[in-house]
């Protein structure tokens, strides 16, 4: 049985370098692993406890929860906006964290990776995402990291899936997820 990894991408822009990085993870999934990129984060309304009731959960939020429930592991691919993760990712974490202690990410092996224009590759955004995921109850793999700096220049003419160094790093991340998910 294949290990299923659900990937959430924080950039909504078509063709963003983080979208491309997510594609590189799907393209380089090791044997016995399925990596799917969730589509539709932009359709999920901001978390509101008043609507998070039986029969009231928005369709898009329920689709996210259902996708997470079918996954064995979670990967967030985040750019860095103003020193933190995009609101769309924080919102996804909020929906996945409820009900608190029993949400879709509770105990789920999770990694955070990404690329950004700056010299540090978005590490602040990744750290903020890890913090929120830990509080949400995910089993964050703190030592599994991938932050690719200077994304706009680095990937101007080369897709991440065709960058040998990125492929090697992505493969290492995916193998770490697989190992932990299979042991879970």
């Amino acid at each position: 049985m294949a290990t299923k990894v659900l990937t959430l991408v924080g950039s909504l822009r078509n063709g963003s370098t983080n979208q491309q990085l997510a594609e590189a993870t799907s393209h380089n999934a090791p044997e016995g692993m399925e990596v799917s990129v969730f589509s539709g984060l932009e359709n999920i309304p901001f978390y509101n406890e008043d609507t998070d009731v039986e029969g009231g959960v928005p369709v898009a939020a329920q689709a996210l929860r259902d996708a997470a429930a079918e996954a064995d592991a979670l990967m967030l691919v985040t750019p860095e906006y103003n020193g933190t993760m995009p609101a769309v990712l924080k919102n996804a974490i909020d929906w996945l964290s409820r009900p608190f202690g029993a949400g879709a990410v509770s105990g789920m092996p999770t990694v955070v990776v990404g690329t950004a224009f700056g010299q540090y590759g978005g590490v602040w955004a990744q750290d903020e995402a890890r913090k929120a995921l830990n509080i949400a109850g995910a089993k964050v793999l703190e030592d599994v990291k991938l932050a690719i700096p200077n994304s706009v220049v680095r990937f101007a003419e080369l897709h991440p899936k065709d960058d040998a160094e990125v492929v090697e790093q992505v493969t290492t991340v995916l193998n770490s997820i697989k190992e932990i998910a299979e042991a879970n």
Side-chain angles (χ1 to χ4, degrees), residues 8-72:
L8 307 180
V9 181
S11 176
L12 301 179
R13 185 173 53 83
N14 288 330
S16 76
T17 56
N18 280 281
Q19 183 66 43
Q20 290 178 18
L21 182 59
E23 291 166 6
T25 64
S26 293
H27 188 75
N28 291 290
E31 188 173 321
M33 177 179 273
E34 295 173 16
V35 178
S36 62
V37 178
F38 184 81
S39 178
L41 285 182
E42 69 276 9
N43 299 320
I44 301 171
F46 285 115
Y47 183 79
N48 180 340
E49 205 168 355
D50 291 339
T51 61
D52 191 8
V53 295
E54 191 171 332
V57 176
V59 172
Q62 190 60 54
L64 174 63
R65 285 179 172 171
D66 292 346
E70 293 176 14
D72 300 305

Side-chain angles (χ1 to χ4, degrees), residues 28 146 160 163-175:
N28 291 290
L146 175 56
D163 182 313
E165 182 182 8
V166 172
V167 168
E168 181 180 336
Q169 293 169 326
V170 161
T171 301
T172 299
V173 168
L174 292 172
N175 283 324

